[in-house]
mmCIF file of all heavy atoms in Angstrom:
data_model
loop_
_atom_site.group_PDB
_atom_site.id
_atom_site.type_symbol
_atom_site.label_atom_id
_atom_site.label_comp_id
_atom_site.label_asym_id
_atom_site.label_seq_id
_atom_site.Cartn_x
_atom_site.Cartn_y
_atom_site.Cartn_z
ATOM 1 N N ILE X 300 35.271 2.542 -13.037
ATOM 2 C CA ILE X 300 35.621 3.931 -12.747
ATOM 3 C C ILE X 300 36.994 3.982 -12.050
ATOM 4 O O ILE X 300 37.857 4.786 -12.424
ATOM 5 C CB ILE X 300 34.541 4.592 -11.855
ATOM 6 C CG1 ILE X 300 33.269 4.772 -12.655
ATOM 7 C CG2 ILE X 300 35.019 5.935 -11.307
ATOM 8 C CD1 ILE X 300 32.064 5.196 -11.813
ATOM 9 N N ASN X 301 37.194 3.131 -11.067
ATOM 10 C CA ASN X 301 38.469 3.130 -10.355
ATOM 11 C C ASN X 301 39.625 2.691 -11.258
ATOM 12 O O ASN X 301 40.744 3.230 -11.174
ATOM 13 C CB ASN X 301 38.377 2.220 -9.120
ATOM 14 C CG ASN X 301 37.391 2.746 -8.092
ATOM 15 O OD1 ASN X 301 37.195 3.952 -7.971
ATOM 16 N ND2 ASN X 301 36.770 1.838 -7.346
ATOM 17 N N VAL X 302 39.373 1.702 -12.097
ATOM 18 C CA VAL X 302 40.429 1.268 -13.051
ATOM 19 C C VAL X 302 40.778 2.368 -14.025
ATOM 20 O O VAL X 302 41.930 2.565 -14.406
ATOM 21 C CB VAL X 302 39.975 -0.011 -13.777
ATOM 22 C CG1 VAL X 302 40.920 -0.350 -14.931
ATOM 23 C CG2 VAL X 302 39.880 -1.189 -12.831
ATOM 24 N N ALA X 303 39.718 3.147 -14.461
ATOM 25 C CA ALA X 303 39.971 4.245 -15.367
ATOM 26 C C ALA X 303 40.848 5.314 -14.710
ATOM 27 O O ALA X 303 41.764 5.863 -15.332
ATOM 28 C CB ALA X 303 38.655 4.858 -15.840
ATOM 29 N N HIS X 304 40.562 5.619 -13.420
ATOM 30 C CA HIS X 304 41.421 6.567 -12.698
ATOM 31 C C HIS X 304 42.855 6.033 -12.589
ATOM 32 O O HIS X 304 43.822 6.806 -12.726
ATOM 33 C CB HIS X 304 40.859 6.826 -11.313
ATOM 34 C CG HIS X 304 39.655 7.716 -11.299
ATOM 35 N ND1 HIS X 304 39.711 9.033 -11.746
ATOM 36 C CD2 HIS X 304 38.370 7.499 -10.903
ATOM 37 C CE1 HIS X 304 38.515 9.581 -11.619
ATOM 38 N NE2 HIS X 304 37.670 8.677 -11.124
ATOM 39 N N PHE X 305 43.008 4.750 -12.326
ATOM 40 C CA PHE X 305 44.330 4.161 -12.207
ATOM 41 C C PHE X 305 45.070 4.180 -13.558
ATOM 42 O O PHE X 305 46.276 4.482 -13.604
ATOM 43 C CB PHE X 305 44.193 2.742 -11.693
ATOM 44 C CG PHE X 305 45.489 2.014 -11.560
ATOM 45 C CD1 PHE X 305 46.352 2.272 -10.518
ATOM 46 C CD2 PHE X 305 45.877 1.058 -12.482
ATOM 47 C CE1 PHE X 305 47.571 1.610 -10.384
ATOM 48 C CE2 PHE X 305 47.052 0.374 -12.366
ATOM 49 C CZ PHE X 305 47.926 0.664 -11.321
ATOM 50 N N THR X 306 44.347 3.896 -14.640
ATOM 51 C CA THR X 306 44.976 3.821 -15.968
ATOM 52 C C THR X 306 45.358 5.221 -16.492
ATOM 53 O O THR X 306 46.285 5.336 -17.305
ATOM 54 C CB THR X 306 44.036 3.136 -16.950
ATOM 55 O OG1 THR X 306 43.573 1.915 -16.369
ATOM 56 C CG2 THR X 306 44.741 2.827 -18.256
ATOM 57 N N SER X 307 44.614 6.231 -16.039
ATOM 58 C CA SER X 307 44.866 7.580 -16.591
ATOM 59 C C SER X 307 46.178 8.188 -16.083
ATOM 60 O O SER X 307 46.611 9.224 -16.583
ATOM 61 C CB SER X 307 43.696 8.511 -16.191
ATOM 62 O OG SER X 307 43.624 8.658 -14.768
ATOM 63 N N ILE X 308 46.820 7.546 -15.098
ATOM 64 C CA ILE X 308 48.073 8.084 -14.572
ATOM 65 C C ILE X 308 49.168 7.936 -15.655
ATOM 66 O O ILE X 308 49.468 6.806 -16.087
ATOM 67 C CB ILE X 308 48.506 7.344 -13.294
ATOM 68 C CG1 ILE X 308 47.440 7.530 -12.210
ATOM 69 C CG2 ILE X 308 49.873 7.826 -12.807
ATOM 70 C CD1 ILE X 308 47.705 6.712 -10.952
ATOM 71 N N GLY X 309 49.712 9.029 -16.056
ATOM 72 C CA GLY X 309 50.785 9.005 -17.049
ATOM 73 C C GLY X 309 50.315 8.826 -18.475
ATOM 74 O O GLY X 309 51.159 8.724 -19.378
ATOM 75 N N ALA X 310 49.008 8.767 -18.720
ATOM 76 C CA ALA X 310 48.499 8.571 -20.080
ATOM 77 C C ALA X 310 48.498 9.914 -20.830
ATOM 78 O O ALA X 310 48.513 11.000 -20.224
ATOM 79 C CB ALA X 310 47.078 8.004 -20.030
ATOM 80 N N ASP X 311 48.460 9.833 -22.149
ATOM 81 C CA ASP X 311 48.433 11.070 -22.940
ATOM 82 C C ASP X 311 47.033 11.639 -22.957
ATOM 83 O O ASP X 311 46.090 11.093 -22.374
ATOM 84 C CB ASP X 311 48.945 10.788 -24.359
ATOM 85 C CG ASP X 311 48.155 9.679 -25.018
ATOM 86 O OD1 ASP X 311 47.045 9.370 -24.572
ATOM 87 O OD2 ASP X 311 48.686 9.079 -25.983
ATOM 88 N N LYS X 312 46.886 12.768 -23.655
ATOM 89 C CA LYS X 312 45.614 13.513 -23.652
ATOM 90 C C LYS X 312 44.481 12.702 -24.255
ATOM 91 O O LYS X 312 43.358 12.684 -23.764
ATOM 92 C CB LYS X 312 45.816 14.824 -24.399
ATOM 93 C CG LYS X 312 44.582 15.717 -24.342
ATOM 94 C CD LYS X 312 44.847 17.060 -25.043
ATOM 95 C CE LYS X 312 43.622 17.946 -24.948
ATOM 96 N NZ LYS X 312 43.856 19.264 -25.596
ATOM 97 N N LEU X 313 44.752 11.989 -25.361
ATOM 98 C CA LEU X 313 43.716 11.216 -26.040
ATOM 99 C C LEU X 313 43.195 10.092 -25.132
ATOM 100 O O LEU X 313 41.982 9.895 -25.006
ATOM 101 C CB LEU X 313 44.263 10.626 -27.334
ATOM 102 C CG LEU X 313 43.301 9.725 -28.129
ATOM 103 C CD1 LEU X 313 42.061 10.517 -28.543
ATOM 104 C CD2 LEU X 313 43.995 9.117 -29.351
ATOM 105 N N HIS X 314 44.135 9.376 -24.489
ATOM 106 C CA HIS X 314 43.707 8.279 -23.608
ATOM 107 C C HIS X 314 42.963 8.814 -22.387
ATOM 108 O O HIS X 314 42.007 8.186 -21.914
ATOM 109 C CB HIS X 314 44.934 7.461 -23.169
ATOM 110 C CG HIS X 314 45.484 6.574 -24.247
ATOM 111 N ND1 HIS X 314 46.375 7.025 -25.202
ATOM 112 C CD2 HIS X 314 45.219 5.257 -24.539
ATOM 113 C CE1 HIS X 314 46.653 6.049 -26.021
ATOM 114 N NE2 HIS X 314 45.994 4.931 -25.654
ATOM 115 N N ARG X 315 43.379 9.961 -21.863
ATOM 116 C CA ARG X 315 42.671 10.534 -20.723
ATOM 117 C C ARG X 315 41.252 10.938 -21.113
ATOM 118 O O ARG X 315 40.314 10.779 -20.309
ATOM 119 C CB ARG X 315 43.425 11.742 -20.174
ATOM 120 C CG ARG X 315 44.667 11.349 -19.374
ATOM 121 C CD ARG X 315 45.114 12.491 -18.487
ATOM 122 N NE ARG X 315 45.383 13.715 -19.264
ATOM 123 C CZ ARG X 315 46.607 13.991 -19.743
ATOM 124 N NH1 ARG X 315 47.628 13.158 -19.519
ATOM 125 N NH2 ARG X 315 46.802 15.098 -20.420
ATOM 126 N N THR X 316 41.083 11.420 -22.338
ATOM 127 C CA THR X 316 39.739 11.778 -22.806
ATOM 128 C C THR X 316 38.850 10.541 -22.920
ATOM 129 O O THR X 316 37.683 10.559 -22.496
ATOM 130 C CB THR X 316 39.841 12.469 -24.181
ATOM 131 O OG1 THR X 316 40.665 13.625 -24.077
ATOM 132 C CG2 THR X 316 38.448 12.888 -24.659
ATOM 133 N N MET X 317 39.397 9.466 -23.481
ATOM 134 C CA MET X 317 38.636 8.220 -23.602
ATOM 135 C C MET X 317 38.281 7.675 -22.228
ATOM 136 O O MET X 317 37.160 7.165 -22.010
ATOM 137 C CB MET X 317 39.447 7.194 -24.399
ATOM 138 C CG MET X 317 39.744 7.620 -25.853
ATOM 139 S SD MET X 317 38.243 7.856 -26.834
ATOM 140 C CE MET X 317 37.652 6.168 -26.890
ATOM 141 N N LEU X 318 39.201 7.753 -21.280
ATOM 142 C CA LEU X 318 38.920 7.243 -19.936
ATOM 143 C C LEU X 318 37.904 8.110 -19.230
ATOM 144 O O LEU X 318 37.088 7.612 -18.446
ATOM 145 C CB LEU X 318 40.222 7.193 -19.136
ATOM 146 C CG LEU X 318 41.263 6.162 -19.613
ATOM 147 C CD1 LEU X 318 42.581 6.327 -18.864
ATOM 148 C CD2 LEU X 318 40.726 4.743 -19.412
ATOM 149 N N THR X 319 37.899 9.411 -19.508
ATOM 150 C CA THR X 319 36.882 10.285 -18.913
ATOM 151 C C THR X 319 35.500 9.922 -19.454
ATOM 152 O O THR X 319 34.523 9.894 -18.685
ATOM 153 C CB THR X 319 37.199 11.747 -19.247
ATOM 154 O OG1 THR X 319 38.499 12.089 -18.741
ATOM 155 C CG2 THR X 319 36.145 12.676 -18.640
ATOM 156 N N ILE X 320 35.413 9.636 -20.748
ATOM 157 C CA ILE X 320 34.136 9.183 -21.318
ATOM 158 C C ILE X 320 33.693 7.892 -20.668
ATOM 159 O O ILE X 320 32.499 7.676 -20.375
ATOM 160 C CB ILE X 320 34.291 9.017 -22.861
ATOM 161 C CG1 ILE X 320 34.557 10.367 -23.513
ATOM 162 C CG2 ILE X 320 33.042 8.365 -23.448
ATOM 163 C CD1 ILE X 320 34.869 10.281 -24.992
ATOM 164 N N SER X 321 34.645 6.996 -20.394
ATOM 165 C CA SER X 321 34.294 5.737 -19.738
ATOM 166 C C SER X 321 33.768 5.958 -18.315
ATOM 167 O O SER X 321 32.802 5.314 -17.904
ATOM 168 C CB SER X 321 35.553 4.840 -19.687
ATOM 169 O OG SER X 321 35.290 3.685 -18.920
ATOM 170 N N ILE X 322 34.379 6.902 -17.614
ATOM 171 C CA ILE X 322 33.921 7.223 -16.246
ATOM 172 C C ILE X 322 32.503 7.790 -16.285
ATOM 173 O O ILE X 322 31.650 7.379 -15.483
ATOM 174 C CB ILE X 322 34.913 8.202 -15.562
ATOM 175 C CG1 ILE X 322 36.263 7.506 -15.343
ATOM 176 C CG2 ILE X 322 34.317 8.701 -14.258
ATOM 177 C CD1 ILE X 322 37.348 8.439 -14.871
ATOM 178 N N VAL X 323 32.278 8.756 -17.164
ATOM 179 C CA VAL X 323 30.933 9.361 -17.265
ATOM 180 C C VAL X 323 29.900 8.300 -17.646
ATOM 181 O O VAL X 323 28.771 8.255 -17.115
ATOM 182 C CB VAL X 323 30.949 10.508 -18.258
ATOM 183 C CG1 VAL X 323 29.535 11.041 -18.501
ATOM 184 C CG2 VAL X 323 31.860 11.635 -17.793
ATOM 185 N N SER X 324 30.244 7.432 -18.606
ATOM 186 C CA SER X 324 29.316 6.377 -19.013
ATOM 187 C C SER X 324 29.004 5.440 -17.846
ATOM 188 O O SER X 324 27.850 4.974 -17.713
ATOM 189 C CB SER X 324 29.918 5.607 -20.188
ATOM 190 O OG SER X 324 30.195 6.436 -21.269
ATOM 191 N N SER X 325 29.985 5.126 -17.038
ATOM 192 C CA SER X 325 29.751 4.239 -15.913
ATOM 193 C C SER X 325 28.790 4.860 -14.930
ATOM 194 O O SER X 325 27.885 4.177 -14.410
ATOM 195 C CB SER X 325 31.087 3.930 -15.212
ATOM 196 O OG SER X 325 31.954 3.219 -16.094
ATOM 197 N N TRP X 326 28.943 6.171 -14.651
ATOM 198 C CA TRP X 326 27.979 6.833 -13.740
ATOM 199 C C TRP X 326 26.574 6.843 -14.322
ATOM 200 O O TRP X 326 25.589 6.700 -13.610
ATOM 201 C CB TRP X 326 28.448 8.237 -13.415
ATOM 202 C CG TRP X 326 29.531 8.310 -12.408
ATOM 203 C CD1 TRP X 326 30.843 8.674 -12.570
ATOM 204 C CD2 TRP X 326 29.396 7.955 -11.031
ATOM 205 N NE1 TRP X 326 31.537 8.598 -11.405
ATOM 206 C CE2 TRP X 326 30.681 8.156 -10.405
ATOM 207 C CE3 TRP X 326 28.373 7.495 -10.235
ATOM 208 C CZ2 TRP X 326 30.909 7.909 -9.080
ATOM 209 C CZ3 TRP X 326 28.591 7.260 -8.882
ATOM 210 C CH2 TRP X 326 29.841 7.464 -8.307
ATOM 211 N N ILE X 327 26.485 7.034 -15.630
ATOM 212 C CA ILE X 327 25.166 6.997 -16.274
ATOM 213 C C ILE X 327 24.531 5.633 -16.129
ATOM 214 O O ILE X 327 23.312 5.482 -15.859
ATOM 215 C CB ILE X 327 25.290 7.409 -17.759
ATOM 216 C CG1 ILE X 327 25.669 8.876 -17.899
ATOM 217 C CG2 ILE X 327 23.986 7.127 -18.513
ATOM 218 C CD1 ILE X 327 25.954 9.315 -19.320
ATOM 219 N N PHE X 328 25.341 4.561 -16.285
ATOM 220 C CA PHE X 328 24.822 3.209 -16.119
ATOM 221 C C PHE X 328 24.360 2.976 -14.668
ATOM 222 O O PHE X 328 23.376 2.262 -14.443
ATOM 223 C CB PHE X 328 25.885 2.197 -16.506
ATOM 224 C CG PHE X 328 25.880 1.826 -17.948
ATOM 225 C CD1 PHE X 328 26.877 2.267 -18.795
ATOM 226 C CD2 PHE X 328 24.840 1.063 -18.492
ATOM 227 C CE1 PHE X 328 26.861 1.956 -20.156
ATOM 228 C CE2 PHE X 328 24.836 0.723 -19.832
ATOM 229 C CZ PHE X 328 25.830 1.185 -20.664
ATOM 230 N N ILE X 329 25.070 3.545 -13.699
ATOM 231 C CA ILE X 329 24.670 3.385 -12.311
ATOM 232 C C ILE X 329 23.312 4.031 -12.055
ATOM 233 O O ILE X 329 22.423 3.456 -11.425
ATOM 234 C CB ILE X 329 25.736 3.947 -11.368
ATOM 235 C CG1 ILE X 329 27.007 3.098 -11.425
ATOM 236 C CG2 ILE X 329 25.212 4.039 -9.922
ATOM 237 C CD1 ILE X 329 28.147 3.658 -10.614
ATOM 238 N N VAL X 330 23.140 5.274 -12.563
ATOM 239 C CA VAL X 330 21.873 5.968 -12.388
ATOM 240 C C VAL X 330 20.748 5.226 -13.117
ATOM 241 O O VAL X 330 19.630 5.032 -12.568
ATOM 242 C CB VAL X 330 21.984 7.406 -12.892
ATOM 243 C CG1 VAL X 330 20.635 8.109 -12.833
ATOM 244 C CG2 VAL X 330 23.006 8.177 -12.083
ATOM 245 N N LEU X 331 21.013 4.783 -14.349
ATOM 246 C CA LEU X 331 20.002 4.031 -15.100
ATOM 247 C C LEU X 331 19.650 2.735 -14.380
ATOM 248 O O LEU X 331 18.479 2.352 -14.312
ATOM 249 C CB LEU X 331 20.530 3.743 -16.510
ATOM 250 C CG LEU X 331 19.596 2.957 -17.451
ATOM 251 C CD1 LEU X 331 18.331 3.763 -17.722
ATOM 252 C CD2 LEU X 331 20.304 2.603 -18.748
ATOM 253 N N GLY X 332 20.661 2.044 -13.861
ATOM 254 C CA GLY X 332 20.402 0.811 -13.124
ATOM 255 C C GLY X 332 19.568 1.050 -11.869
ATOM 256 O O GLY X 332 18.711 0.227 -11.516
ATOM 257 N N ALA X 333 19.812 2.180 -11.183
ATOM 258 C CA ALA X 333 19.028 2.497 -9.982
ATOM 259 C C ALA X 333 17.556 2.727 -10.351
ATOM 260 O O ALA X 333 16.640 2.249 -9.669
ATOM 261 C CB ALA X 333 19.601 3.705 -9.294
ATOM 262 N N MET X 334 17.320 3.472 -11.442
ATOM 263 C CA MET X 334 15.942 3.730 -11.856
ATOM 264 C C MET X 334 15.256 2.453 -12.315
ATOM 265 O O MET X 334 14.072 2.221 -12.012
ATOM 266 C CB MET X 334 15.905 4.791 -12.963
ATOM 267 C CG MET X 334 16.326 6.172 -12.485
ATOM 268 S SD MET X 334 16.101 7.475 -13.706
ATOM 269 C CE MET X 334 17.318 7.020 -14.940
#
Side-chain angles (χ1 to χ4, degrees):
I300 291 171
N301 294 330
V302 170
H304 284 298
F305 178 75
T306 310
S307 63
I308 299 174
D311 55 20
K312 184 176 181 180
L313 177 61
H314 285 85
R315 286 199 301 269
T316 302
M317 298 297 294
L318 292 172
T319 302
I320 295 174
S321 174
I322 293 171
V323 173
S324 301
S325 297
W326 281 113
I327 292 175
F328 271 108
I329 291 175
V330 175
L331 180 64
M334 292 188 293

